[in-house]
Amino acid sequence: MRKAFWKADWFTALLVALLFLFSANSDLIQSLERRAYDWGVRSSSRVPSDKVAVIAIDDQSIANLGRWPWPRAIQGKMLDILAAGQVKEVGNTVFFFEPQVDAGLDYINKIGAILAESSLKKSNPAEWAKLDALMQDALLHLDNDQQLAESMLKANDVLLGMFFELGEPQGKPDGPLPEYILKNNLTNILGNEDSFLPIPSLGAQYPIPAIGSTAVAIGHLNATPDVDGGVRTEPLVIGYFDQYYPSLSLMLAAKSLNLEPKDIQVTLGQGVKLGNLNIATDPALRMHTFFYGDRDGKSAFQVDSFYDVLSGRIPAEKYRDKIVLIGATAAGVGASQVTPISAGMAPVLTLAHSVSSILKQDFFVVPGWGLWAESGVFLAVSLYLILLLPRLSAGLAAAITGTLFVLLLATHYILMTTQAMWLQLMLPAALLLVGHLLVTTKRFLLTEKGKIKSDADSAESNRMLGLAFQGQGQLDMAFDKFRKVPLDDSLMDVLYNLGLDFERKRQFNKAESVFNYMTEFNPKFRDLEARRAQSRAMAETIVLGGPSGRSNDSTMKLDQAGIAKPMLGRYQIEKELGKGAMGVVYLGKDPKISRVVAIKTMALAQEFEADELEDVKARFFREAETAGRLNHPNIVTMYDAGEEHDLAYIAMEFLKGKDLTGYTKQPNLLPLPKVLSIVARVADALGYAHGLNVVHRDIKPANIMYDPESDSVKVTDFGIARITDSSKTKTGMVLGTPSYMSPEQLSGIKIEGHSDLFSLGVSLYQLACGKLPFEGDSMAQLMFRIANEPPTDILSINPNVPPCVVAIINKALAKKVGDRYESGGAMAEAIRQCAASL
């Protein structure tokens, strides 16, 4: 009988080809194309322009000149130095969107206004003239924007950046752009209404007039990441309603050739002409930038520290007749970009690659016939899979497929490295591999049908071997053999007894696996559901004991009928209370004295590497002993500590109420007097502990328990942070709460009680206004702000916070340890005095 066509190999290949055709523009395929593109870029070799140099605002400069942003007069001084060195031009990537007003400038203006209205000018002209001259000199030194503008005007070679809000405009602009922006508009445009247009924008951010009007040119610094977030192209032109504006890289290249915006010729949908330089682009006028690889372990471009040039260590003559780019490379200043040669490239370096690509004509080109070539290759691979592959033997098919795949990769590689030409060949390459695998796998599966009969013959032998292993107590090997036997009613009886054997050995997780396997055949078998539930509960309690054992939806209920309550040490486990960062918290009972306790477990063997496990265990019991000596009405009492099955546990006082996490956001904030009362008692507790040389290390709302009914406050988890200090879990995560850490704690130095007072200050701030004093888009940014920047003014969040509370918070959050409260008792006294004055 003739085989149905949908079972044929050629039909399978046709379906695969159609699937790939329709997914050609998917993120997966396009990301694959970009990875191949990056491989080609890294393999290509070009020499960058020696006319481009970079002066970096790096970590060394910030360490010597102070926290960024600096007074703009410093950048003006740099321009004066470069002008003396006779640079060709300077491209500054720092944005000047807002005025920089020195705090003293306002006071000088106010004093000047008072003097102008006073009678001093008439009564004592000479004295008034001296004061006026002093005022004018102060204004000159404090007006950073004016100093920068004067330096730019004298240099007459500085180009600045602007930024467009990309998007399709729906109407007309809010108003015309300033004249110093309009003069950069490109007017030499070739094309018609059917041409492709550059990327549109609907808004613009540009330098303030005082600075922007002194720049010789302004270009945009917009980046257009690909689907995978990588920056590979430079949008040379961006459309703003009916106007066209160049990128800063294009303007830098133009000015270096002594060309004006009117000399730049734009051909819509094709490219840009700069003098005798023709820059081929994609239809949206984006250039495929060439990224130059490092040479001998050094950056492709000459990169010097801003501070070294400013201080004279590097002479300005070094930059004579060069294009100098100034921009940030320091950590936490600006956002780095993913490029083909770097996972974190500073934008100023990306700009350097773009300028050099323009001047040296090193950009990559997508040829006009590229789409036809890519389509032809895809069609050829599809025909090979549909017509030829089904007729070949397995060995010959593998050889031909391998040869074609290598040929596609080699073509991609050679075109990029020798011709700077990009063809997207990863779609046909992926089709070739996947299509070959699916067709050959289908063949293999069909031949496997013939093996079913022989497998049935071996089922009985596996059953007998399983029973033999079970009789010898080798339950794991028995289960492995039973799973090779087809399930039926007789095997269900055997498996049920195997599950009971696992339970008798207290291997509840393995018993659960057996019962789960049985459920696939008959979930109603005997009391299978009850057995599964019991094994799951016991496995969570005794075997796993860690935070990752189960989801929150499977919280254990040990009070169900038929489930024996397990023991942990001498404590009987009643139920699960919750899960923390390293373990589960249970409600327990000491049967001998009927004391109800909370038991916090820590699965140390699961969370720490074997080479540090013994040290962590020793530290656990040492810190538990230290914390157990604390006896204070506002500190949770610790009764006992132990270990069972590599599960460390601490038995402590069972508390009513809940932690303060629920009161840290609007609209659940507690009344301020209540917050002050709670924090004062916590400060008392910390003062007591610090007096015994015990530092908490992890003060935060989650570690402060509060019962509204009894108005009791208790600090929990003394010593837990020290147990995990300087250790990493198997997942690589350092335990701790960075938002509440002190600057010295982040730096890794030895800390004292003042660190706890800083964390308590963060908690007070959050409980008072519902926000954290330090926030960041990333962990690195958050840590930088804690260590270097003042907290967000709490009055900008909650203007009703009393001045005395603001003062307490500011003192507690002081960067220097010596500027904080000398002890927890001193902080508590200050809080109570403040509360009494409200």
Side-chain angles (χ1 to χ4, degrees):
M1 183 176 179
R2 188 174 181 180
K3 183 170 62 174
F5 74 88
W6 59 81
K7 297 182 180 179
D9 291 344
W10 68 265
F11 186 74
T12 301
L14 176 62
L15 292 179
V16 175
L18 292 175
L19 176 63
F20 270 78
L21 179 63
F22 290 121
S23 63
N25 292 321
S26 65
D27 288 351
L28 177 62
I29 295 298
Q30 290 303 311
S31 295
L32 184 62
E33 296 285 3
R34 268 59 183 180
R35 287 183 177 273
Y37 177 91
D38 294 348
W39 171 55
V41 173
R42 290 192 294 269
S43 301
S44 303
S45 178
R46 300 283 191 281
V47 178
S49 172
D50 59 0
K51 295 293 185 181
V52 179
V54 176
I55 295 180
I57 300 171
D58 56 3
D59 292 319
Q60 175 194 348
S61 300
I62 292 176
N64 285 279
L65 297 176
R67 187 174 61 197
W68 181 263
W70 301 324
R72 289 174 180 170
I74 293 179
Q75 298 196 48
K77 184 179 178 182
M78 173 60 76
L79 296 180
D80 295 338
I81 293 172
L82 294 177
Q86 298 183 18
V87 299
K88 178 69 175 178
E89 58 184 347
V90 177
N92 197 335
T93 64
V94 177
F95 290 128
F96 301 104
F97 295 159
E98 296 178 353
Q100 188 179 75
V101 180
D102 190 285
L105 189 60
D106 285 340
Y107 288 102
I108 294 297
N109 288 327
K110 291 176 181 178
I111 294 172
I114 294 173
L115 287 175
E117 296 176 0
S118 70
S119 59
L120 182 63
K121 184 174 183 180
K122 294 181 179 180
S123 61
N124 194 342
E127 191 68 25
W128 188 90
K130 290 181 180 179
L131 289 174
D132 184 63
L134 184 61
M135 292 282 295
Q136 296 303 320
D137 185 60
L139 287 172
L140 178 63
H141 285 82
L142 292 177
D143 194 342
N144 282 281
D145 288 346
Q146 184 61 34
Q147 294 182 60
L148 174 59
E150 290 177 358
S151 296
M152 289 176 59
L153 198 59
K154 287 189 294 184
N156 196 33
D157 59 5
V158 181
L159 290 81
L160 298 180
M162 62 182 297
F163 189 81
F164 285 102
E165 181 184 354
L166 303 183
E168 193 69 42
Q170 302 300 315
K172 296 182 179 181
D174 294 335
L177 296 176
E179 181 60 33
Y180 60 90
I181 300 296
L182 289 173
K183 71 178 184 179
N184 300 282
N185 179 27
L186 304 179
T187 56
N188 191 358
I189 309 296
L190 302 180
N192 53 51
E193 60 184 12
D194 296 326
S195 301
F196 286 99
L197 296 177
I199 300 171
S201 65
L202 46 83
Q205 289 181 282
Y206 40 81
I208 59 176
I211 296 176
S213 60
T214 61
V216 295
I218 295 176
H220 76 78
L221 280 170
N222 287 76
T224 52
D226 284 332
V227 293
D228 59 352
V231 174
R232 300 176 180 86
T233 58
E234 173 83 354
L236 297 182
V237 180
I238 283 182
Y240 179 74
F241 295 89
D242 59 346
Q243 300 167 4
Y244 299 92
Y245 288 94
S247 66
L248 183 56
S249 60
L250 184 59
M251 285 304 300
L252 285 164
K255 288 294 182 181
S256 72
L257 301 174
N258 303 313
L259 300 176
E260 299 296 325
K262 64 181 180 180
D263 301 320
I264 301 175
Q265 179 179 301
V266 177
T267 303
L268 296 178
Q270 296 184 22
V272 177
K273 186 173 182 181
L274 200 64
N276 291 325
L277 300 180
N278 288 305
I279 309 167
T281 67
D282 67 4
L285 295 180
R286 291 177 297 191
M287 175 186 71
H288 290 276
T289 305
F290 186 94
F291 288 89
Y292 303 87
D294 294 346
R295 295 175 295 175
D296 301 326
K298 297 182 179 179
S299 172
F301 294 95
Q302 175 183 321
V303 180
D304 296 319
S305 172
F306 188 101
Y307 179 74
D308 287 344
V309 180
L310 187 69
S311 62
R313 294 180 183 177
I314 297 178
E317 288 75 13
K318 177 180 181 181
Y319 306 104
R320 180 184 296 271
D321 296 327
K322 290 185 182 292
I323 302 171
V324 177
L325 307 179
I326 300 177
T329 62
V333 181
S336 59
Q337 297 172 335
V338 178
T339 66
I341 63 171
S342 173
M345 179 176 288
V348 68
L349 294 178
T350 306
L351 178 62
H353 288 278
S354 298
V355 174
S356 180
S357 295
I358 295 173
L359 294 177
K360 298 209 66 181
Q361 299 280 274
D362 282 339
F363 44 82
F364 290 96
V365 176
V366 177
W369 46 265
L371 181 60
W372 293 102
E374 293 162 4
S375 301
V377 173
F378 182 86
L379 179 60
V381 171
S382 300
L383 292 176
Y384 163 72
L385 294 175
I386 296 170
L387 301 178
L388 186 58
L389 181 62
R391 303 173 183 272
L392 300 176
S393 63
L396 182 58
I400 294 177
T401 297
T403 302
L404 291 176
F405 183 73
V406 171
L407 182 61
L408 288 174
L409 294 183
T411 301
H412 169 88
Y413 178 82
I414 293 171
L415 287 176
M416 288 202 71
T417 55
T418 63
Q419 304 299 318
M421 189 179 296
W422 181 36
L423 289 184
Q424 299 190 36
L425 299 179
M426 293 306 103
L427 176 65
L431 169 64
L432 180 64
L433 280 184
V434 175
H436 179 94
L437 290 174
L438 289 179
V439 171
T440 53
T441 300
K442 173 180 169 294
R443 284 186 191 173
F444 176 77
L445 292 177
L446 290 176
T447 59
E448 285 295 300
K449 290 183 178 180
K451 298 181 180 179
I452 295 178
K453 186 176 182 302
S454 61
D455 290 343
D457 295 337
S458 64
E460 187 60 28
S461 61
N462 283 324
R463 180 191 185 100
M464 298 305 296
L465 283 173
L467 289 171
F469 284 133
Q470 184 178 1
Q472 297 172 5
Q474 301 180 51
L475 304 185
D476 290 320
M477 297 182 67
F479 188 30
D480 183 60
K481 293 298 179 182
F482 289 146
R483 279 184 293 189
K484 297 179 181 179
V485 180
L487 279 169
D488 55 24
D489 291 336
S490 62
L491 185 64
M492 290 287 283
D493 288 321
V494 175
L495 290 172
Y496 186 84
N497 291 328
L498 179 65
L500 296 180
D501 286 344
F502 274 125
E503 285 187 349
R504 294 185 186 98
K505 287 194 172 187
R506 301 182 64 81
Q507 294 176 324
F508 300 107
N509 55 336
K510 295 181 180 179
E512 182 188 0
S513 297
V514 174
F515 295 139
N516 287 338
Y517 181 70
M518 296 173 63
T519 303
E520 297 176 5
F521 180 75
N522 181 10
K524 303 299 183 182
F525 183 83
R526 297 189 188 177
D527 59 343
L528 189 58
E529 284 299 321
R531 287 289 176 185
R532 285 181 64 206
Q534 178 174 337
S535 297
R536 184 185 307 115
M538 301 298 284
E540 285 187 346
T541 307
I542 300 301
V543 179
L544 298 179
S548 57
R550 300 282 176 182
S551 67
N552 290 334
D553 294 335
S554 60
T555 300
M556 185 181 61
K557 298 180 180 179
L558 297 176
D559 54 354
Q560 294 179 349
I563 298 180
K565 294 180 179 179
M567 302 292 291
L568 191 58
R570 73 170 188 266
Y571 300 99
Q572 179 176 286
I573 303 300
E574 299 291 336
K575 65 178 181 179
E576 180 180 306
L577 296 176
K579 296 178 181 177
M582 287 188 60
V584 184
V585 181
Y586 299 106
L587 178 66
K589 183 179 180 181
D590 188 339
K592 293 183 179 179
I593 58 177
S594 297
R595 172 190 283 161
V596 177
V597 296
I599 301 177
K600 174 169 288 190
T601 63
M602 301 179 73
L604 301 180
Q606 294 182 20
E607 297 295 341
F608 293 93
E609 299 294 344
D611 57 351
E612 62 178 344
L613 184 58
E614 291 303 316
D615 178 65
V616 172
K617 286 183 180 179
R619 196 185 314 150
F620 174 89
F621 289 108
R622 186 166 60 250
E623 291 299 322
E625 178 184 1
T626 301
R629 292 200 300 267
L630 299 178
N631 183 16
H632 190 274
N634 298 120
I635 296 178
V636 173
T637 303
M638 185 181 297
Y639 298 127
D640 191 16
E643 179 186 14
E644 183 171 305
H645 302 300
D646 280 335
L647 185 66
Y649 66 88
I650 298 174
M652 62 186 71
E653 175 185 5
F654 175 72
L655 301 175
K656 295 182 180 180
K658 57 184 179 180
D659 63 61
L660 293 179
T661 304
Y663 303 112
T664 58
K665 292 183 180 180
Q666 294 284 4
N668 298 324
L669 298 182
L670 292 168
L672 187 58
K674 182 61 65 179
V675 170
L676 295 176
S677 172
I678 292 172
V679 175
R681 282 178 278 177
V682 174
D684 281 334
L686 292 176
Y688 165 80
H690 298 163
L692 296 178
N693 295 321
V694 178
V695 182
H696 190 287
R697 295 173 177 263
D698 196 19
I699 289 294
K700 55 185 177 182
N703 285 334
I704 302 172
M705 299 293 293
Y706 175 63
D707 182 16
E709 293 183 7
S710 61
D711 192 36
S712 64
V713 177
K714 297 276 188 175
V715 181
T716 66
D717 280 2
F718 261 95
I720 299 299
R722 178 60 181 261
I723 294 167
T724 58
D725 187 36
S726 301
S727 300
K728 288 188 176 180
T729 64
K730 289 182 179 179
T731 59
M733 179 184 70
V734 179
L735 297 176
T737 312
S739 294
Y740 300 90
M741 286 185 178
S742 63
E744 62 268 25
Q745 198 169 3
L746 291 175
S747 65
I749 63 176
K750 182 179 180 180
I751 64 173
E752 298 178 348
H754 294 90
S755 176
D756 285 348
L757 300 184
F758 182 98
S759 301
L760 184 58
V762 176
S763 303
L764 174 56
Y765 183 110
Q766 188 179 24
L767 291 168
C769 70
K771 295 284 187 179
L772 286 167
F774 305 99
E775 295 181 334
D777 296 331
S778 64
M779 185 73 73
Q781 186 182 55
L782 172 61
M783 295 169 70
F784 178 86
R785 288 178 175 173
I786 293 174
N788 298 280
E789 296 183 0
T792 302
D793 185 3
I794 192 172
L795 295 178
S796 66
I797 303 171
N798 183 1
N800 297 322
V801 177
C804 63
V805 176
V806 176
I808 291 171
I809 290 174
N810 290 339
K811 186 174 179 66
L813 298 184
K815 303 296 183 190
K816 295 182 179 180
V817 172
D819 294 340
R820 300 176 200 157
Y821 289 101
E822 61 182 3
S823 67
M827 184 172 178
E829 180 60 26
I831 293 173
R832 291 191 173 98
Q833 289 181 5
C834 175
S837 68
L838 298 181

